[in-house]
Amino acid sequence: MLVLGIESSCDETGLALYDTDAGLLSHALHSQIAMHRDYGGVVPELASRDHIRRVLPLLEQVLDEAGRQRRDIDAIAFTQGPGLAGALLVGASVANALGFALGVPMLGVHHLEGHLLSPLLTADPPEFPFVALLVSGGHTQLMEVRGIGDYVLLGETLDDAAGEAFDKTAKLLGLGYPGGPEVSRLADFGVPGAFDLPRPMLHSGNLDFSFAGLKTAVLTQSRKLGNICEQDRANLARAFVDAIVDVLAAKSMAALKATGHKRLVVAGGVGANRQLRERLDEQARRRRATVSYPDLAFCTDNGAMIAFAGAMRLQAAPELGRRAYDYGVTPRWELSELRLPGR
Ligand code: KG4
Ligand code: ZN
């Protein structure tokens, strides 16, 4: 079965072709980062308009790269939510129109399920069950993943997401958007321990997170310093990264302990962070647990994870493929609502 995946929930237009026998055939991405940079964040209306411009050329690109034609497509998966309503509608419209024209089923995929399953796209995929640390710009969650569509929320952020904390800290330090990679790079020049920032909820006794206070602590420190020099900026970035990595790693290990699982899977944009990866690898090794990451290209938003999640769902429950073409999107959507029919 050849599944076309379309991702358009935020600021990346991603398309991909996944074949259930041959694996990922092709994927293509257009990032709007350069367009939104001047505004310091994503402008929803600009995002929607750009998805419209990009989606069909990218479709031709993935077909060409895979040596396939439109009529070879057996099903279409698109990101139905969560995300920006206008941006989601672009993917939904194309998926529905194309599904109708080709007479093939389509299904809406949950963006976070895409992230959650993206480590399975690697050459050596982890087996179920595992604990997933989902760290993106909009979400920070620990989930127990027992199988496709069988997800138990173990803990989540009570306020800012980890990626949001990176982005806001970057702004405070005068760095560009998106902030994650820039803060991470600057932190490499910082002296460890030069500033001591809080580790919010480290000892809360549960698996929830809170990052709003951390960003405020960065703000307070930078105000105290006044005219901040290059080294202080790097030291602050380092203190921020150390604090957030401490909390994410400690809670991930606590989730492994609580569930008894030996496999941790990291997904979402912040999963690209090198400092986080190093810490998780080191702590997991001590517990004789393994950590899997998606390939770097599949950490941030992409079409491959949507094609893959769609293919997995359709294989598990073919009745999920709909021919009632209706353009529905779900900008707010809980992952726990994703149980497969009859399970
Ligand atoms: O998963 P994603 O592409 O989009 C959402 O679904 O939100 O994640 C984007 C987030 C941004 O906040 C970005 O700053 C962060 O991931 N990010 C990073 C890194 N690369 C991307 N954060 C820390 N270190 C990185 N290397
Ligand atoms: Zn995402």
Side-chain angles (χ1 to χ4, degrees):
M1 178 173 51
L2 184 65
V3 181
L4 169 70
I6 306 176
E7 155 64 31
S8 72
S9 65
C10 189
D11 58 350
E12 255 113 21
T13 324
L15 276 87
L17 286 170
Y18 183 84
D19 185 289
T20 46
D21 294 323
L24 186 67
L25 300 186
S26 58
H27 69 100
L29 187 83
H30 176 77
S31 167
Q32 305 176 353
I33 284 177
M35 186 180 78
H36 296 295
R37 193 164 269 149
D38 290 347
Y39 305 93
V42 178
V43 183
E45 180 60 24
L46 294 183
S48 314
R49 293 182 196 190
D50 201 57
H51 286 306
I52 295 172
R53 277 193 288 272
R54 308 291 174 180
V55 64
L56 291 179
L58 287 173
L59 170 63
E60 294 313 317
Q61 192 178 325
V62 292
L63 285 168
D64 277 356
E65 273 172 28
R68 302 296 176 97
Q69 302 192 324
R70 287 186 190 191
R71 62 169 180 273
D72 297 329
I73 297 170
D74 297 308
I76 303 170
F78 67 97
T79 305
Q80 183 179 319
L84 302 169
L88 289 166
L89 273 170
V90 178
S93 310
V94 171
N96 278 275
L98 202 59
F100 179 73
L102 298 172
V104 300
M106 54 88 207
L107 87 163
V109 167
H110 193 292
H111 180 80
L112 294 183
E113 184 174 41
H115 276 305
L116 209 59
L117 300 180
S118 61
L120 302 184
L121 278 165
T122 51
D124 184 20
E127 280 172 31
F128 297 118
F130 52 76
V131 168
L133 171 68
L134 199 65
V135 270
S136 71
H139 290 82
T140 300
Q141 298 183 327
L142 276 162
M143 313 273 310
E144 182 183 12
V145 179
R146 298 172 176 166
I148 303 289
D150 195 356
Y151 314 124
V152 180
L153 181 66
L154 302 171
E156 64 183 333
T157 183
L158 305 178
D159 41 57
D160 291 355
E164 200 177 348
F166 267 97
D167 294 337
K168 288 178 174 172
T169 297
K171 243 185 193 173
L172 289 172
L173 296 176
L175 300 171
Y177 160 87
E182 301 230 7
V183 172
S184 172
R185 226 171 290 132
L186 184 60
D188 277 339
F189 298 99
V191 179
F195 295 107
D196 191 22
L197 296 181
R199 269 78 174 144
M201 295 187 71
L202 186 59
H203 302 295
S204 63
N206 62 19
L207 297 171
D208 288 334
F209 304 88
S210 163
F211 295 120
L214 189 52
K215 164 206 68 198
T216 312
V218 175
L219 177 66
T220 311
Q221 272 296 349
S222 62
R223 280 206 180 131
K224 237 191 255 173
L225 292 165
N227 213 346
I228 188 167
C229 70
E230 252 331 279
Q231 189 58 51
D232 278 343
R233 270 174 13 122
N235 291 349
L236 258 181
R238 175 67 190 241
F240 168 81
V241 171
D242 285 347
I244 201 162
V245 165
D246 267 0
V247 178
L248 290 172
K251 298 263 171 169
S252 300
M253 295 308 126
L256 286 177
K257 191 169 175 206
T259 55
H261 297 322
K262 287 287 180 194
R263 276 183 291 268
L264 176 71
V265 157
V266 184
V270 183
N273 185 270
R274 188 180 47 76
Q275 290 100 336
L276 177 64
R277 288 182 173 213
E278 284 172 6
R279 184 75 62 84
L280 288 174
D281 286 344
E282 173 203 318
Q283 296 201 352
R285 208 176 308 123
R286 271 195 252 141
R287 310 186 70 90
R288 294 179 199 287
T290 58
V291 194
S292 317
Y293 307 92
D295 294 340
L296 276 179
F298 301 139
C299 272
T300 46
D301 293 349
N302 64 85
M305 68 183 192
I306 301 303
F308 180 73
M312 292 301 106
R313 296 207 129 234
L314 284 172
Q315 274 191 321
E319 67 271 30
L320 286 173
R322 294 188 291 129
R323 286 167 201 270
Y325 307 103
D326 62 6
Y327 285 60
V329 295
T330 315
R332 299 181 76 89
W333 192 6
E334 291 301 321
L335 199 56
S336 50
E337 293 166 24
L338 286 184
R339 270 192 178 277
L340 293 171
R343 311 283 164 94

